[in-house]
Each structure stands twice: as structure tokens, then as C-alpha cells.
Amino acid sequence: MSAAARVLALLVERGQTVAAAESLTGGLVAAELTWVPGASRAFLGSVTAYATPLKHELLGVDAGLLRERGAVDPEVAVQMARGVRDRLGADWGVATTGVAGPDPQDGQPVGTVYVAVAGPATTGAAAGKVVSLRLNGDRAEIRRESVRSVLELLLEELSENARAQDTEQNGGNGCLQP
């Protein structure tokens, strides 16, 4: 089963939804998710904010942050994930930003990528989690690996969220309750 199928199955099982904010992947995360039959039960949609100003205008990324650091930045990725989650009304938001090549961008070398996830307000992931990647390969390989990485990050967060909920429901200390 693909990462996208596993993500969607977990979300459907929980009655939760996801939305994607994409830059360097240009819609590939949304395409990967919608390839799975029944994706509409958990995937709400996406925003492809390829141009830097759109990250502010559509996703609410801080304009000062974009001016100071550029679009290829871990905090930008987190703000994109939170922005798409909030604007599309999803439980979870995922985001990709980085440099697929052929040229460097914002002083960052080709292969510099940040993927982020922001979860529901009731989880530790609400504020967002970001992973920094240094990828090798051509433009297509960097974009494919970015999609795989953001879906794997979401799977990790969904799994951690499930473990935390189980712990809360079972007494919080891992011990069996009488």
C-alpha cells in the first residue's frame, strides 16, 4: 500500500481531513493523494503557491519572513502547512517548499527542501513540524522525493497522534488499569 493510501486510510478511519500547500512539487502531492480511489473522503484540496508572493497572499505566510529569508525556509514551510489547514478547513495541513533546480534560489542550493505538517489544535503537532532535506538527483527526482517525504512525515504524525490518544484513553502511564 502506498504512503498516500495509508495516509488516507488513517484519516478516513478517524474522520479527519488533510489539505496540501505546495511550492516546488507543483501539485504532485495533491496528484499522489487523488490517485487513491476514495481520496475525496479525506483530501479537501490544495494550494499551489509557486510564486513567493502567493505564499503570503493565499496561505498567510508572514511577508516579513519571506522578505528576510526567502521562500526556502523551515518556518515558511510550517506557516504554509498551518495556512492551508486553516484556510481550507482541514484537520491536517502539509507543505513543501524548496529548490528542485536547475538553479539555486534564495541563496539555497539545488536539493534544499523543507516539508512540514500541521495537525489539529488538540494535538502536539498543531504548531507544526518540519523536516529539512538535502536531496540529490535531477529536478524530477527531487520533486518525487519531496512528495514521498511529506507523506511519510504525515504518516509519522498520524501514528504519534494515535499513540497519544491511546495513552490518554488508557490511563496515561502505559500501565494496565484495574
Side-chain angles (χ1 to χ4, degrees):
M1 181 183 290
S2 71
R6 292 193 319 264
V7 160
L8 291 167
L10 284 170
L11 290 169
V12 167
E13 179 181 300
R14 296 172 186 181
Q16 293 181 327
T17 57
V18 66
E22 301 187 63
S23 186
L24 85 149
T25 50
L28 292 175
V29 174
E32 187 73 13
L33 289 167
T34 58
W35 186 258
V36 178
S40 62
R41 294 184 296 166
F43 179 63
L44 295 183
S46 65
V47 173
T48 300
Y50 204 65
T52 298
L54 292 180
K55 291 170 180 62
H56 169 69
E57 294 165 14
L58 298 177
L59 298 169
V61 175
D62 181 82
L65 174 66
L66 290 167
R67 262 191 317 278
E68 290 172 25
R69 299 190 203 163
V72 184
D73 181 81
E75 182 58 28
V76 169
V78 169
Q79 288 188 23
M80 288 172 65
R82 287 195 309 244
V84 80
R85 176 197 63 197
D86 297 345
R87 282 172 167 68
L88 274 62
D91 297 296
W92 294 86
V94 297
T96 62
T97 188
V99 187
D103 300 314
Q105 179 186 339
D106 297 333
Q108 300 291 334
V110 172
T112 302
V113 175
Y114 299 99
V115 296
V117 171
T122 58
T123 70
K129 181 174 182 178
V130 65
V131 171
S132 170
L133 305 170
R134 296 293 180 260
L135 303 175
N136 296 312
D138 64 19
R139 181 176 174 78
E141 291 168 321
I142 290 169
R143 294 175 76 213
R144 274 194 308 271
E145 183 59 22
S146 299
V147 171
R148 189 199 66 75
S149 295
V150 78
L151 292 174
E152 289 294 332
L153 178 59
L154 180 54
L155 271 173
E156 288 173 23
E157 290 302 306
L158 287 167
S159 297
E160 284 182 24
N161 181 246
R163 282 192 298 276
Q165 287 178 350
D166 287 347
T167 300
E168 286 175 17
Q169 293 171 359
N170 294 315
N173 61 6
C175 297
L176 296 175
Q177 298 297 311

